[in-house]
Amino acid sequence: MIEAQNLWKHYGDHVVLERINLKVREGEFITMVGTSGCGKSTFLKLLLGTEGATRGTLTLDGNPVPDEPGLDRGIVFQQYSVFPHLTVLENVTIARAFEHSPLLGRLFGSAKRQAEDEAREMLASVGLASAEKRYPHELSGGMRQRLAIAQALIRKPRILLLDEPFGALDPGIRADMQELVLSLWRKHKLTVFMVTHDIKEGFYLGTRLWVFDKTRYDPQAPHAYGATITYDLPVGHMDRALYEEIDDRLHPVPA
Amino acid sequence: MKRLVNLSPSRPWALLLGLIPLALVLALYLAGSDARLTENPNDKLLPSLEQMSSALDRMALQPSKRSGEYLFWTDTAASLQRLGLGIGIAAIIGLLIGLLTGALPAVNVALSPLLTVFSLVPPLALLPILFIVFGLDELSKVVLIVIGVAPFIARDLQKHTLEMPREQLVKAQTLGANSMQILFRVLLPQIMPRLIDAVRLSLGTGWLFLIAAEAIAATDGLGYRIFLVRRYLSMDVIIPYVAWITLLAFLLDMALAWLSRRLYPWHHKGAAS
Ligand SMILES: Nc1ncnc2c1ncn2[C@@H]1O[C@H](COP(=O)(O)OP(=O)(O)O)[C@@H](O)[C@H]1O
Ligand SMILES: [Mg+2]
């Protein structure tokens, strides 16, 4: 479904990603880990279409990834993912309003009620049934991310991109959210790309783990080389030693 | 004893502390006025409270001998109409330009230089041109306020539109929004409370241009009146008029603040995320 061939991304002289080759099949759940600033979000932006590749190709079903965000690729960011001026319910129905009302982006009458029923169902499936009239600032961080997920799924994207979606949440809440994402992934048959800074999350969630890291490093010119995918592992087939090795690479113990 | 920087007075104290300087100024004025009036009962510079209230009574509650109008109220109505029109039109123009240049890079490229140049022109220097082009009546005064205020509002809103989290625009696109829908449903509603803020900030400038224009060419209005009676050194009229203008400005500001809290609760309570 998705394929990268010798993909490079530079910002000016700064090489962020280099020599990325990969193939992803429909329905995979990929978690991505790597040190902060190594280019994980940049990779998601390439998939989104807000950034373009400097070299190489990134294709979706054999065609280059569109150079604009679109309906087929939903996204949840760590923050700013929901619209602060809309209630929980409106945050979800607005997606249908965009679909049916090209000029104003507003729904009326039966179209509106239909969108609201659909949105309520989606909100119930992420555990927000009782909060539909509240504004995002009245929600906890976890509830806000649940809303962002419901919103991202309402137009039924094939691909769901998650950029450290639980990074700001407490560990207890994070476990609930992981369950939620897994169940939605199965239910909606999504292909998921999830960035996380929690290696455990990467190791036990989903079907495949990518570790982004630099294989070449020049202390005189830290930006001369970019990160690439150094480990591409099927989840569930990893041993303790490998876990510790990767953990060590990402969080070097200070000497 | 706490450090002074950590010492913040509690509520009743804060109120009292805030009133003391005001009361002091008033007392100082009354003492000065009293002293001058005992020396010379015809002194005009520091009128007593009684003199001012009788002047106000004459202006506000009795018809003018010449025109039969209640001057205080016709002045107020004339000024508020000019100010309201000027600020209202400036708000609409500022909103349009600010939103469009902030949201659409192509419009920004086309309009930014013009906007920058316009906001650098001192509006009062344009007043003679406005009088020549639009004549001496209402239009030129309203246009002066618009020219004086719109560039500020436009630039303020442009900045806020540009500062809107990119994540929201990306999110809207992944939900299938087109440019119009992003403008109307994502950006515009979130810019509206900013517009009210910008209008509140520009009201002071608006009054400045209004009074300047009225002082130079008008037949009524609060600014016209205080500059007219200046010829007779009528401080007993000027001081209540200035106090009234200040009160009006204060009330307008309060009303806008209330409106914003009423219409956009999420803007005031929210951490924006
Ligand atoms: N628009 C940009 N212009 C220049 N450099 C950028 C830009 N976006 C990201 N970068 C740089 O690219 C690197 C990777 O960023 P990012 O993908 O956000 O890392 P992370 O893995 O933490 O998500 C960082 O060093 C960042 O400074
Ligand atoms: Mg990132």
PDB file of all heavy atoms in Angstrom, chain B residues 138-173:
ATOM      1  N   GLU B 138     -20.255  64.873   7.388  1.00  0.00           N
ATOM      2  CA  GLU B 138     -20.053  63.611   8.108  1.00  0.00           C
ATOM      3  C   GLU B 138     -19.001  62.692   7.496  1.00  0.00           C
ATOM      4  O   GLU B 138     -18.155  62.149   8.180  1.00  0.00           O
ATOM      5  CB  GLU B 138     -21.386  62.845   8.191  1.00  0.00           C
ATOM      6  CG  GLU B 138     -22.449  63.563   8.992  1.00  0.00           C
ATOM      7  CD  GLU B 138     -21.953  63.970  10.366  1.00  0.00           C
ATOM      8  OE1 GLU B 138     -21.605  63.066  11.155  1.00  0.00           O
ATOM      9  OE2 GLU B 138     -21.879  65.178  10.629  1.00  0.00           O
ATOM     10  N   LEU B 139     -19.077  62.513   6.173  1.00  0.00           N
ATOM     11  CA  LEU B 139     -18.277  61.482   5.524  1.00  0.00           C
ATOM     12  C   LEU B 139     -16.790  61.591   5.860  1.00  0.00           C
ATOM     13  O   LEU B 139     -16.143  60.608   6.215  1.00  0.00           O
ATOM     14  CB  LEU B 139     -18.501  61.556   4.012  1.00  0.00           C
ATOM     15  CG  LEU B 139     -17.911  60.381   3.235  1.00  0.00           C
ATOM     16  CD1 LEU B 139     -18.475  59.074   3.754  1.00  0.00           C
ATOM     17  CD2 LEU B 139     -18.212  60.529   1.743  1.00  0.00           C
ATOM     18  N   SER B 140     -16.250  62.812   5.781  1.00  0.00           N
ATOM     19  CA  SER B 140     -14.806  62.938   5.971  1.00  0.00           C
ATOM     20  C   SER B 140     -14.401  62.566   7.397  1.00  0.00           C
ATOM     21  O   SER B 140     -13.317  62.031   7.615  1.00  0.00           O
ATOM     22  CB  SER B 140     -14.339  64.347   5.621  1.00  0.00           C
ATOM     23  OG  SER B 140     -15.080  65.288   6.349  1.00  0.00           O
ATOM     24  N   LYS B 141     -15.264  62.841   8.374  1.00  0.00           N
ATOM     25  CA  LYS B 141     -14.926  62.493   9.762  1.00  0.00           C
ATOM     26  C   LYS B 141     -14.918  60.980   9.943  1.00  0.00           C
ATOM     27  O   LYS B 141     -14.031  60.404  10.592  1.00  0.00           O
ATOM     28  CB  LYS B 141     -15.927  63.129  10.729  1.00  0.00           C
ATOM     29  CG  LYS B 141     -15.919  64.645  10.661  1.00  0.00           C
ATOM     30  CD  LYS B 141     -16.952  65.238  11.570  1.00  0.00           C
ATOM     31  CE  LYS B 141     -17.217  66.688  11.239  1.00  0.00           C
ATOM     32  NZ  LYS B 141     -17.967  66.891   9.978  1.00  0.00           N
ATOM     33  N   VAL B 142     -15.939  60.331   9.362  1.00  0.00           N
ATOM     34  CA  VAL B 142     -16.000  58.876   9.464  1.00  0.00           C
ATOM     35  C   VAL B 142     -14.793  58.250   8.760  1.00  0.00           C
ATOM     36  O   VAL B 142     -14.153  57.335   9.293  1.00  0.00           O
ATOM     37  CB  VAL B 142     -17.330  58.360   8.867  1.00  0.00           C
ATOM     38  CG1 VAL B 142     -17.325  56.843   8.784  1.00  0.00           C
ATOM     39  CG2 VAL B 142     -18.505  58.840   9.708  1.00  0.00           C
ATOM     40  N   VAL B 143     -14.476  58.782   7.581  1.00  0.00           N
ATOM     41  CA  VAL B 143     -13.348  58.218   6.832  1.00  0.00           C
ATOM     42  C   VAL B 143     -12.042  58.390   7.604  1.00  0.00           C
ATOM     43  O   VAL B 143     -11.200  57.490   7.613  1.00  0.00           O
ATOM     44  CB  VAL B 143     -13.248  58.862   5.429  1.00  0.00           C
ATOM     45  CG1 VAL B 143     -11.987  58.404   4.721  1.00  0.00           C
ATOM     46  CG2 VAL B 143     -14.463  58.498   4.598  1.00  0.00           C
ATOM     47  N   LEU B 144     -11.897  59.500   8.292  1.00  0.00           N
ATOM     48  CA  LEU B 144     -10.667  59.697   9.076  1.00  0.00           C
ATOM     49  C   LEU B 144     -10.523  58.597  10.138  1.00  0.00           C
ATOM     50  O   LEU B 144      -9.450  58.016  10.298  1.00  0.00           O
ATOM     51  CB  LEU B 144     -10.666  61.071   9.760  1.00  0.00           C
ATOM     52  CG  LEU B 144      -9.439  61.304  10.640  1.00  0.00           C
ATOM     53  CD1 LEU B 144      -8.185  61.469   9.799  1.00  0.00           C
ATOM     54  CD2 LEU B 144      -9.617  62.507  11.563  1.00  0.00           C
ATOM     55  N   ILE B 145     -11.615  58.314  10.822  1.00  0.00           N
ATOM     56  CA  ILE B 145     -11.560  57.262  11.843  1.00  0.00           C
ATOM     57  C   ILE B 145     -11.227  55.920  11.194  1.00  0.00           C
ATOM     58  O   ILE B 145     -10.387  55.160  11.685  1.00  0.00           O
ATOM     59  CB  ILE B 145     -12.891  57.178  12.614  1.00  0.00           C
ATOM     60  CG1 ILE B 145     -13.131  58.492  13.373  1.00  0.00           C
ATOM     61  CG2 ILE B 145     -12.870  56.005  13.590  1.00  0.00           C
ATOM     62  CD1 ILE B 145     -14.489  58.573  14.034  1.00  0.00           C
ATOM     63  N   VAL B 146     -11.872  55.652  10.055  1.00  0.00           N
ATOM     64  CA  VAL B 146     -11.623  54.376   9.369  1.00  0.00           C
ATOM     65  C   VAL B 146     -10.146  54.266   8.996  1.00  0.00           C
ATOM     66  O   VAL B 146      -9.485  53.252   9.272  1.00  0.00           O
ATOM     67  CB  VAL B 146     -12.509  54.252   8.111  1.00  0.00           C
ATOM     68  CG1 VAL B 146     -12.117  53.015   7.315  1.00  0.00           C
ATOM     69  CG2 VAL B 146     -13.973  54.174   8.505  1.00  0.00           C
ATOM     70  N   ILE B 147      -9.608  55.319   8.384  1.00  0.00           N
ATOM     71  CA  ILE B 147      -8.206  55.269   7.953  1.00  0.00           C
ATOM     72  C   ILE B 147      -7.273  55.176   9.146  1.00  0.00           C
ATOM     73  O   ILE B 147      -6.243  54.515   9.111  1.00  0.00           O
ATOM     74  CB  ILE B 147      -7.875  56.519   7.107  1.00  0.00           C
ATOM     75  CG1 ILE B 147      -8.614  56.437   5.783  1.00  0.00           C
ATOM     76  CG2 ILE B 147      -6.373  56.625   6.872  1.00  0.00           C
ATOM     77  CD1 ILE B 147      -8.340  57.623   4.886  1.00  0.00           C
ATOM     78  N   GLY B 148      -7.682  55.826  10.240  1.00  0.00           N
ATOM     79  CA  GLY B 148      -6.813  55.812  11.409  1.00  0.00           C
ATOM     80  C   GLY B 148      -6.787  54.478  12.125  1.00  0.00           C
ATOM     81  O   GLY B 148      -5.791  54.124  12.751  1.00  0.00           O
ATOM     82  N   VAL B 149      -7.879  53.721  12.036  1.00  0.00           N
ATOM     83  CA  VAL B 149      -8.021  52.546  12.887  1.00  0.00           C
ATOM     84  C   VAL B 149      -7.910  51.226  12.121  1.00  0.00           C
ATOM     85  O   VAL B 149      -7.357  50.247  12.622  1.00  0.00           O
ATOM     86  CB  VAL B 149      -9.375  52.633  13.628  1.00  0.00           C
ATOM     87  CG1 VAL B 149      -9.715  51.328  14.276  1.00  0.00           C
ATOM     88  CG2 VAL B 149      -9.333  53.746  14.667  1.00  0.00           C
ATOM     89  N   ALA B 150      -8.410  51.205  10.867  1.00  0.00           N
ATOM     90  CA  ALA B 150      -8.480  49.937  10.122  1.00  0.00           C
ATOM     91  C   ALA B 150      -7.111  49.256   9.959  1.00  0.00           C
ATOM     92  O   ALA B 150      -7.028  48.038  10.142  1.00  0.00           O
ATOM     93  CB  ALA B 150      -9.148  50.153   8.770  1.00  0.00           C
ATOM     94  N   PRO B 151      -6.046  49.982   9.621  1.00  0.00           N
ATOM     95  CA  PRO B 151      -4.763  49.288   9.443  1.00  0.00           C
ATOM     96  C   PRO B 151      -4.298  48.569  10.705  1.00  0.00           C
ATOM     97  O   PRO B 151      -3.798  47.455  10.649  1.00  0.00           O
ATOM     98  CB  PRO B 151      -3.792  50.410   9.061  1.00  0.00           C
ATOM     99  CG  PRO B 151      -4.647  51.477   8.500  1.00  0.00           C
ATOM    100  CD  PRO B 151      -5.927  51.412   9.264  1.00  0.00           C
ATOM    101  N   PHE B 152      -4.533  49.198  11.854  1.00  0.00           N
ATOM    102  CA  PHE B 152      -4.138  48.544  13.111  1.00  0.00           C
ATOM    103  C   PHE B 152      -4.924  47.250  13.296  1.00  0.00           C
ATOM    104  O   PHE B 152      -4.352  46.192  13.600  1.00  0.00           O
ATOM    105  CB  PHE B 152      -4.374  49.479  14.297  1.00  0.00           C
ATOM    106  CG  PHE B 152      -4.356  48.769  15.620  1.00  0.00           C
ATOM    107  CD1 PHE B 152      -3.157  48.382  16.188  1.00  0.00           C
ATOM    108  CD2 PHE B 152      -5.546  48.449  16.275  1.00  0.00           C
ATOM    109  CE1 PHE B 152      -3.130  47.703  17.401  1.00  0.00           C
ATOM    110  CE2 PHE B 152      -5.530  47.764  17.481  1.00  0.00           C
ATOM    111  CZ  PHE B 152      -4.324  47.391  18.047  1.00  0.00           C
ATOM    112  N   ILE B 153      -6.243  47.323  13.100  1.00  0.00           N
ATOM    113  CA  ILE B 153      -7.065  46.121  13.285  1.00  0.00           C
ATOM    114  C   ILE B 153      -6.643  45.042  12.297  1.00  0.00           C
ATOM    115  O   ILE B 153      -6.481  43.878  12.653  1.00  0.00           O
ATOM    116  CB  ILE B 153      -8.562  46.461  13.124  1.00  0.00           C
ATOM    117  CG1 ILE B 153      -8.991  47.432  14.235  1.00  0.00           C
ATOM    118  CG2 ILE B 153      -9.416  45.203  13.168  1.00  0.00           C
ATOM    119  CD1 ILE B 153     -10.451  47.831  14.183  1.00  0.00           C
ATOM    120  N   ALA B 154      -6.428  45.459  11.041  1.00  0.00           N
ATOM    121  CA  ALA B 154      -6.047  44.487  10.012  1.00  0.00           C
ATOM    122  C   ALA B 154      -4.747  43.779  10.393  1.00  0.00           C
ATOM    123  O   ALA B 154      -4.651  42.552  10.320  1.00  0.00           O
ATOM    124  CB  ALA B 154      -5.905  45.176   8.659  1.00  0.00           C
ATOM    125  N   ARG B 155      -3.768  44.554  10.824  1.00  0.00           N
ATOM    126  CA  ARG B 155      -2.479  43.933  11.134  1.00  0.00           C
ATOM    127  C   ARG B 155      -2.553  43.062  12.367  1.00  0.00           C
ATOM    128  O   ARG B 155      -1.916  42.007  12.444  1.00  0.00           O
ATOM    129  CB  ARG B 155      -1.400  45.009  11.285  1.00  0.00           C
ATOM    130  CG  ARG B 155      -0.867  45.403   9.915  1.00  0.00           C
ATOM    131  CD  ARG B 155      -0.142  46.715   9.866  1.00  0.00           C
ATOM    132  NE  ARG B 155       0.970  46.828  10.772  1.00  0.00           N
ATOM    133  CZ  ARG B 155       2.230  47.042  10.384  1.00  0.00           C
ATOM    134  NH1 ARG B 155       2.521  47.075   9.097  1.00  0.00           N
ATOM    135  NH2 ARG B 155       3.172  47.218  11.252  1.00  0.00           N
ATOM    136  N   ASP B 156      -3.329  43.492  13.346  1.00  0.00           N
ATOM    137  CA  ASP B 156      -3.484  42.691  14.554  1.00  0.00           C
ATOM    138  C   ASP B 156      -4.138  41.341  14.226  1.00  0.00           C
ATOM    139  O   ASP B 156      -3.689  40.294  14.674  1.00  0.00           O
ATOM    140  CB  ASP B 156      -4.332  43.474  15.566  1.00  0.00           C
ATOM    141  CG  ASP B 156      -4.332  42.814  16.934  1.00  0.00           C
ATOM    142  OD1 ASP B 156      -3.233  42.689  17.505  1.00  0.00           O
ATOM    143  OD2 ASP B 156      -5.403  42.416  17.405  1.00  0.00           O
ATOM    144  N   LEU B 157      -5.199  41.391  13.407  1.00  0.00           N
ATOM    145  CA  LEU B 157      -5.913  40.154  13.083  1.00  0.00           C
ATOM    146  C   LEU B 157      -5.080  39.272  12.156  1.00  0.00           C
ATOM    147  O   LEU B 157      -5.128  38.044  12.244  1.00  0.00           O
ATOM    148  CB  LEU B 157      -7.269  40.468  12.455  1.00  0.00           C
ATOM    149  CG  LEU B 157      -8.232  41.186  13.401  1.00  0.00           C
ATOM    150  CD1 LEU B 157      -9.603  41.311  12.762  1.00  0.00           C
ATOM    151  CD2 LEU B 157      -8.346  40.460  14.726  1.00  0.00           C
ATOM    152  N   GLN B 158      -4.314  39.911  11.270  1.00  0.00           N
ATOM    153  CA  GLN B 158      -3.422  39.135  10.399  1.00  0.00           C
ATOM    154  C   GLN B 158      -2.444  38.327  11.257  1.00  0.00           C
ATOM    155  O   GLN B 158      -2.237  37.141  11.043  1.00  0.00           O
ATOM    156  CB  GLN B 158      -2.659  40.101   9.493  1.00  0.00           C
ATOM    157  CG  GLN B 158      -1.623  39.423   8.620  1.00  0.00           C
ATOM    158  CD  GLN B 158      -0.742  40.453   7.910  1.00  0.00           C
ATOM    159  OE1 GLN B 158      -0.317  41.446   8.494  1.00  0.00           O
ATOM    160  NE2 GLN B 158      -0.500  40.223   6.639  1.00  0.00           N
ATOM    161  N   LYS B 159      -1.884  39.005  12.265  1.00  0.00           N
ATOM    162  CA  LYS B 159      -0.920  38.344  13.138  1.00  0.00           C
ATOM    163  C   LYS B 159      -1.581  37.159  13.851  1.00  0.00           C
ATOM    164  O   LYS B 159      -1.027  36.061  13.889  1.00  0.00           O
ATOM    165  CB  LYS B 159      -0.401  39.366  14.150  1.00  0.00           C
ATOM    166  CG  LYS B 159       0.626  38.864  15.108  1.00  0.00           C
ATOM    167  CD  LYS B 159       1.291  40.037  15.825  1.00  0.00           C
ATOM    168  CE  LYS B 159       1.842  39.623  17.163  1.00  0.00           C
ATOM    169  NZ  LYS B 159       0.846  39.502  18.224  1.00  0.00           N
ATOM    170  N   HIS B 160      -2.781  37.381  14.385  1.00  0.00           N
ATOM    171  CA  HIS B 160      -3.432  36.295  15.111  1.00  0.00           C
ATOM    172  C   HIS B 160      -3.818  35.151  14.180  1.00  0.00           C
ATOM    173  O   HIS B 160      -3.765  33.987  14.571  1.00  0.00           O
ATOM    174  CB  HIS B 160      -4.657  36.815  15.857  1.00  0.00           C
ATOM    175  CG  HIS B 160      -4.298  37.569  17.098  1.00  0.00           C
ATOM    176  ND1 HIS B 160      -3.599  36.993  18.134  1.00  0.00           N
ATOM    177  CD2 HIS B 160      -4.501  38.843  17.461  1.00  0.00           C
ATOM    178  CE1 HIS B 160      -3.403  37.883  19.082  1.00  0.00           C
ATOM    179  NE2 HIS B 160      -3.938  39.023  18.695  1.00  0.00           N
ATOM    180  N   THR B 161      -4.211  35.485  12.957  1.00  0.00           N
ATOM    181  CA  THR B 161      -4.552  34.417  12.018  1.00  0.00           C
ATOM    182  C   THR B 161      -3.311  33.592  11.688  1.00  0.00           C
ATOM    183  O   THR B 161      -3.360  32.358  11.643  1.00  0.00           O
ATOM    184  CB  THR B 161      -5.138  35.004  10.723  1.00  0.00           C
ATOM    185  OG1 THR B 161      -6.178  35.914  11.065  1.00  0.00           O
ATOM    186  CG2 THR B 161      -5.707  33.914   9.834  1.00  0.00           C
ATOM    187  N   LEU B 162      -2.185  34.280  11.490  1.00  0.00           N
ATOM    188  CA  LEU B 162      -0.947  33.561  11.172  1.00  0.00           C
ATOM    189  C   LEU B 162      -0.489  32.705  12.352  1.00  0.00           C
ATOM    190  O   LEU B 162       0.159  31.678  12.165  1.00  0.00           O
ATOM    191  CB  LEU B 162       0.158  34.553  10.791  1.00  0.00           C
ATOM    192  CG  LEU B 162       0.009  35.205   9.419  1.00  0.00           C
ATOM    193  CD1 LEU B 162       0.999  36.350   9.249  1.00  0.00           C
ATOM    194  CD2 LEU B 162       0.210  34.163   8.322  1.00  0.00           C
ATOM    195  N   GLU B 163      -0.832  33.136  13.562  1.00  0.00           N
ATOM    196  CA  GLU B 163      -0.385  32.402  14.749  1.00  0.00           C
ATOM    197  C   GLU B 163      -1.305  31.233  15.106  1.00  0.00           C
ATOM    198  O   GLU B 163      -1.033  30.511  16.059  1.00  0.00           O
ATOM    199  CB  GLU B 163      -0.303  33.348  15.956  1.00  0.00           C
ATOM    200  CG  GLU B 163       0.924  34.224  15.935  1.00  0.00           C
ATOM    201  CD  GLU B 163       0.856  35.324  16.978  1.00  0.00           C
ATOM    202  OE1 GLU B 163      -0.173  35.445  17.653  1.00  0.00           O
ATOM    203  OE2 GLU B 163       1.845  36.070  17.086  1.00  0.00           O
ATOM    204  N   MET B 164      -2.385  31.084  14.378  1.00  0.00           N
ATOM    205  CA  MET B 164      -3.294  29.969  14.660  1.00  0.00           C
ATOM    206  C   MET B 164      -2.515  28.662  14.475  1.00  0.00           C
ATOM    207  O   MET B 164      -1.767  28.522  13.506  1.00  0.00           O
ATOM    208  CB  MET B 164      -4.436  30.022  13.654  1.00  0.00           C
ATOM    209  CG  MET B 164      -5.688  29.417  14.146  1.00  0.00           C
ATOM    210  SD  MET B 164      -6.542  30.475  15.293  1.00  0.00           S
ATOM    211  CE  MET B 164      -7.511  31.415  14.151  1.00  0.00           C
ATOM    212  N   PRO B 165      -2.666  27.697  15.400  1.00  0.00           N
ATOM    213  CA  PRO B 165      -1.882  26.463  15.268  1.00  0.00           C
ATOM    214  C   PRO B 165      -2.085  25.820  13.898  1.00  0.00           C
ATOM    215  O   PRO B 165      -3.218  25.609  13.467  1.00  0.00           O
ATOM    216  CB  PRO B 165      -2.450  25.567  16.377  1.00  0.00           C
ATOM    217  CG  PRO B 165      -3.082  26.483  17.346  1.00  0.00           C
ATOM    218  CD  PRO B 165      -3.532  27.693  16.582  1.00  0.00           C
ATOM    219  N   ARG B 166      -0.974  25.511  13.217  1.00  0.00           N
ATOM    220  CA  ARG B 166      -1.050  24.851  11.903  1.00  0.00           C
ATOM    221  C   ARG B 166      -1.816  23.538  12.017  1.00  0.00           C
ATOM    222  O   ARG B 166      -2.469  23.104  11.075  1.00  0.00           O
ATOM    223  CB  ARG B 166       0.358  24.536  11.359  1.00  0.00           C
ATOM    224  CG  ARG B 166       1.297  25.700  11.240  1.00  0.00           C
ATOM    225  CD  ARG B 166       0.830  26.729  10.247  1.00  0.00           C
ATOM    226  NE  ARG B 166       0.526  26.173   8.931  1.00  0.00           N
ATOM    227  CZ  ARG B 166      -0.121  26.856   7.996  1.00  0.00           C
ATOM    228  NH1 ARG B 166      -0.526  28.078   8.241  1.00  0.00           N
ATOM    229  NH2 ARG B 166      -0.362  26.304   6.818  1.00  0.00           N
ATOM    230  N   GLU B 167      -1.703  22.909  13.196  1.00  0.00           N
ATOM    231  CA  GLU B 167      -2.355  21.615  13.382  1.00  0.00           C
ATOM    232  C   GLU B 167      -3.837  21.685  13.055  1.00  0.00           C
ATOM    233  O   GLU B 167      -4.406  20.753  12.475  1.00  0.00           O
ATOM    234  CB  GLU B 167      -2.185  21.146  14.834  1.00  0.00           C
ATOM    235  CG  GLU B 167      -0.794  20.641  15.185  1.00  0.00           C
ATOM    236  CD  GLU B 167       0.113  21.754  15.696  1.00  0.00           C
ATOM    237  OE1 GLU B 167      -0.182  22.941  15.430  1.00  0.00           O
ATOM    238  OE2 GLU B 167       1.119  21.444  16.359  1.00  0.00           O
ATOM    239  N   GLN B 168      -4.466  22.806  13.426  1.00  0.00           N
ATOM    240  CA  GLN B 168      -5.912  22.921  13.183  1.00  0.00           C
ATOM    241  C   GLN B 168      -6.228  22.974  11.699  1.00  0.00           C
ATOM    242  O   GLN B 168      -7.222  22.417  11.236  1.00  0.00           O
ATOM    243  CB  GLN B 168      -6.457  24.177  13.854  1.00  0.00           C
ATOM    244  CG  GLN B 168      -6.554  24.027  15.339  1.00  0.00           C
ATOM    245  CD  GLN B 168      -7.377  25.123  15.946  1.00  0.00           C
ATOM    246  OE1 GLN B 168      -8.194  25.755  15.272  1.00  0.00           O
ATOM    247  NE2 GLN B 168      -7.164  25.361  17.213  1.00  0.00           N
ATOM    248  N   LEU B 169      -5.378  23.676  10.942  1.00  0.00           N
ATOM    249  CA  LEU B 169      -5.621  23.765   9.502  1.00  0.00           C
ATOM    250  C   LEU B 169      -5.417  22.401   8.852  1.00  0.00           C
ATOM    251  O   LEU B 169      -6.202  21.986   7.982  1.00  0.00           O
ATOM    252  CB  LEU B 169      -4.676  24.793   8.871  1.00  0.00           C
ATOM    253  CG  LEU B 169      -4.727  26.197   9.486  1.00  0.00           C
ATOM    254  CD1 LEU B 169      -3.926  27.168   8.649  1.00  0.00           C
ATOM    255  CD2 LEU B 169      -6.161  26.671   9.602  1.00  0.00           C
ATOM    256  N   VAL B 170      -4.368  21.694   9.301  1.00  0.00           N
ATOM    257  CA  VAL B 170      -4.121  20.359   8.751  1.00  0.00           C
ATOM    258  C   VAL B 170      -5.287  19.444   9.097  1.00  0.00           C
ATOM    259  O   VAL B 170      -5.805  18.715   8.249  1.00  0.00           O
ATOM    260  CB  VAL B 170      -2.796  19.798   9.309  1.00  0.00           C
ATOM    261  CG1 VAL B 170      -2.640  18.334   8.938  1.00  0.00           C
ATOM    262  CG2 VAL B 170      -1.618  20.609   8.798  1.00  0.00           C
ATOM    263  N   LYS B 171      -5.713  19.518  10.352  1.00  0.00           N
ATOM    264  CA  LYS B 171      -6.815  18.674  10.796  1.00  0.00           C
ATOM    265  C   LYS B 171      -8.066  18.922   9.942  1.00  0.00           C
ATOM    266  O   LYS B 171      -8.694  17.990   9.463  1.00  0.00           O
ATOM    267  CB  LYS B 171      -7.126  18.995  12.260  1.00  0.00           C
ATOM    268  CG  LYS B 171      -8.214  18.148  12.857  1.00  0.00           C
ATOM    269  CD  LYS B 171      -7.650  16.828  13.311  1.00  0.00           C
ATOM    270  CE  LYS B 171      -8.731  15.897  13.790  1.00  0.00           C
ATOM    271  NZ  LYS B 171      -8.243  14.965  14.777  1.00  0.00           N
ATOM    272  N   ALA B 172      -8.388  20.188   9.720  1.00  0.00           N
ATOM    273  CA  ALA B 172      -9.568  20.495   8.930  1.00  0.00           C
ATOM    274  C   ALA B 172      -9.446  19.904   7.526  1.00  0.00           C
ATOM    275  O   ALA B 172     -10.410  19.365   6.979  1.00  0.00           O
ATOM    276  CB  ALA B 172      -9.770  22.010   8.851  1.00  0.00           C
ATOM    277  N   GLN B 173      -8.250  19.960   6.970  1.00  0.00           N
ATOM    278  CA  GLN B 173      -8.072  19.407   5.622  1.00  0.00           C
ATOM    279  C   GLN B 173      -8.236  17.894   5.609  1.00  0.00           C
ATOM    280  O   GLN B 173      -8.786  17.333   4.660  1.00  0.00           O
ATOM    281  CB  GLN B 173      -6.696  19.783   5.071  1.00  0.00           C
ATOM    282  CG  GLN B 173      -6.559  21.280   4.836  1.00  0.00           C
ATOM    283  CD  GLN B 173      -5.143  21.647   4.408  1.00  0.00           C
ATOM    284  OE1 GLN B 173      -4.661  21.218   3.374  1.00  0.00           O
ATOM    285  NE2 GLN B 173      -4.484  22.430   5.240  1.00  0.00           N
TER     286      GLN B 173
END
